[in-house]
Amino acid sequence: MEKVAIVILNWNGAKMLTRFLPNVLEYSRKDATVYVADNASTDNSVELLKQHFPEVRLVLLDKNWGFAEGYNKALEKIDAEYYVLLNSDVEVSHHWLSPLIEFMDNHKEVAACQPKLLSENDRDSFEYAGACGGYLDRYGYPFCRGRIFDFVETDNGQYDYDVEVLWATGACLMIRSSDFKLSGGFDARFFAHNEEIDLCWRLRLMGRKIFCIPDSFVFHVGGGTLPKNNPMKTYLNFRNNLLMLYKNLPDSELNKVMRARMILDYVAAFKSLLTGCVGDFKAIVKARRDFKKWLPEYVGIRSKVQQMRKTENIVGIYRFSLLWQYYVKGRKKYSDLKTH
């Protein structure tokens, strides 16, 4: 068994691999093996890897399985103590792996962790996709230390301490292979978006812990596959978030949260329509419709998830409404939130 497998999932990302893979190879430890799992790319990704990066191990998948099932299938073929799921558009820093490995080696109760995620385009700012560790409000809206909705903070070292979080970003996620397998991995139906939050939430229900370790930091381009304000991204985010809530919420919270979300989702849909974002309006309505259509299939899945539950009190799920704090109270920084 290898110590660490760095696994980059790729789909038509030859340009990103050319730009960032040399950096990963140069700055990763000798006990880490770099893999690229290719989701049946139609560009020259595979030829590029074979010709210019022969030290990288290739895992060739038969079609584009998306982020969730792509990683599930790739990791089945890799035997390592730790997996590091790394986006192809991430620039790593010197010695980025050591703080993560050392923390995981010394904290066996921790299933997964992430580094501090900074913007590759504005290196003094956090990056949207995970910043410095993630949380949820009571209605399932994700936010991070360093990012709430579209407001991203400048990194002034204000979150430079290890902290337990609800979820770690899938852009750079270190996870014990044993925990990944025990949890069942990613929900393949998600395809992309919210899959890492769902996985981390399930791990938390199982009594495992998730941390952010900012002594390690990387730089993320972001939006490489689907840019922001893309209706497909809107659809996946809304649909998958609803499925995640249905699976993981306790019985005592499920009905009232889902009723509130139905109202909030349609408010968001009509706001999109009124502001001229017709694509987003259609995406949200379709997400609600497909969630309802898929619900019968998720009854059994929810039952299995709830049977794994070892605790009711999950660190990182706050009781407040993030929408209220952000839009009404004007609290746009994590440090400004009233968490009690």
Side-chain angles (χ1 to χ4, degrees):
M1 176 185 286
E2 298 168 346
K3 178 70 172 179
V4 180
I6 301 169
V7 187
I8 299 169
L9 189 67
N10 175 69
W11 182 70
N12 290 347
K15 290 183 179 178
M16 290 296 182
L17 292 172
T18 300
R19 182 176 173 187
F20 294 112
L21 186 54
N23 173 263
V24 175
L25 292 168
E26 181 179 359
Y27 293 148
S28 298
R29 292 173 23 155
K30 292 183 179 179
D31 57 357
T33 304
V34 179
Y35 290 80
V36 172
D38 188 77
N39 256 332
S41 292
T42 56
D43 66 357
N44 66 326
S45 292
V46 174
E47 292 78 9
L48 170 77
L49 291 164
K50 288 179 177 179
Q51 291 179 16
H52 298 286
F53 302 100
E55 64 270 60
V56 172
R57 298 189 186 180
L58 267 172
V59 178
L60 299 177
L61 303 176
D62 60 343
K63 68 177 186 179
N64 182 11
W65 291 95
F67 185 96
E69 187 69 346
Y71 265 122
N72 286 344
K73 290 187 173 296
L75 297 183
E76 285 177 356
K77 305 175 186 296
I78 298 172
D79 188 22
E81 181 180 358
Y82 299 124
Y83 300 136
V84 179
L85 281 51
L86 186 68
N87 277 18
S88 61
D89 60 348
V90 169
E91 176 188 333
V92 301
S93 61
H94 289 266
H95 311 299
W96 68 288
L97 267 181
S98 291
L100 304 178
I101 295 172
E102 291 167 7
F103 185 86
M104 296 289 278
D105 282 347
N106 292 323
H107 297 84
K108 301 299 183 183
E109 74 282 7
V110 176
C113 66
Q114 70 160 80
K116 175 165 63 175
L117 201 70
L118 299 171
S119 171
E120 196 274 335
N121 300 310
D122 180 3
R123 299 167 84 86
D124 292 326
S125 295
F126 290 103
E127 209 283 314
Y128 179 93
C132 218
Y135 307 88
L136 291 176
D137 82 338
R138 69 174 303 171
Y139 300 117
Y141 293 99
F143 61 100
C144 309
R145 294 194 305 168
R147 191 272 294 173
I148 300 178
F149 293 128
D150 288 334
F151 185 85
V152 179
E153 295 181 45
T154 299
D155 174 29
N156 296 312
Q158 66 269 43
Y159 304 121
D160 279 357
Y161 52 92
D162 299 348
V163 68
E164 191 173 357
V165 296
L166 175 69
W167 58 272
T169 176
C172 186
L173 173 68
M174 173 173 276
I175 186 167
R176 294 182 197 275
S177 61
S178 56
D179 281 305
F180 186 85
K181 293 169 184 174
L182 189 62
S183 69
F186 291 120
D187 187 329
R189 294 292 296 271
F190 280 30
F191 191 79
H193 298 294
N194 280 264
E195 66 287 305
E196 79 267 50
I197 306 178
D198 171 63
L199 172 62
C200 289
W201 194 348
R202 284 185 278 121
L203 288 166
R204 298 310 311 262
L205 293 177
M206 295 164 59
R208 306 293 285 153
K209 294 183 177 181
I210 315 293
F211 267 77
C212 177
I213 313 300
D215 278 351
S216 171
F217 57 92
V218 300
F219 302 92
H220 184 217
V221 173
T225 305
L226 287 175
K228 291 164 73 171
N229 303 319
N230 180 290
M232 176 55 72
K233 187 168 188 174
T234 300
Y235 167 77
L236 291 171
N237 271 317
F238 274 81
R239 185 198 68 186
N240 294 350
N241 189 269
L242 291 168
L243 293 170
M244 176 183 72
L245 289 172
Y246 179 75
K247 289 166 60 177
N248 295 297
L249 282 170
D251 290 340
S252 59
E253 291 285 314
L254 181 62
N255 289 334
K256 55 187 175 184
V257 169
M258 298 311 288
R259 283 195 297 267
R261 272 302 300 270
M262 181 175 65
I263 296 169
L264 292 169
D265 287 354
Y266 281 115
V267 168
F270 283 104
K271 179 178 180 291
S272 297
L273 185 62
L274 291 172
T275 54
C277 300
V278 178
D280 284 339
F281 168 79
K282 292 179 179 179
I284 297 170
V285 172
K286 185 176 188 298
R288 293 285 325 176
R289 184 173 64 244
D290 287 351
F291 165 68
K292 186 176 180 180
K293 182 171 67 177
W294 287 11
L295 211 50
E297 300 176 37
Y298 269 83
V299 172
I301 297 172
R302 171 176 167 78
S303 178
K304 290 179 181 178
V305 170
Q306 296 303 314
Q307 287 172 15
M308 294 191 300
R309 179 183 291 275
K310 293 185 177 179
T311 179
E312 292 293 325
N313 298 314
I314 306 296
V315 171
I317 300 180
Y318 289 108
R319 300 294 300 169
F320 59 72
S321 165
L322 190 64
L323 292 169
W324 179 265
Q325 294 230 23
Y326 185 87
Y327 288 108
V328 178
K329 296 296 185 179
R331 296 167 185 155
K332 300 195 174 185
K333 297 181 180 180
Y334 175 81
S335 56
D336 294 337
L337 296 175
K338 302 298 183 183
T339 57
H340 301 289

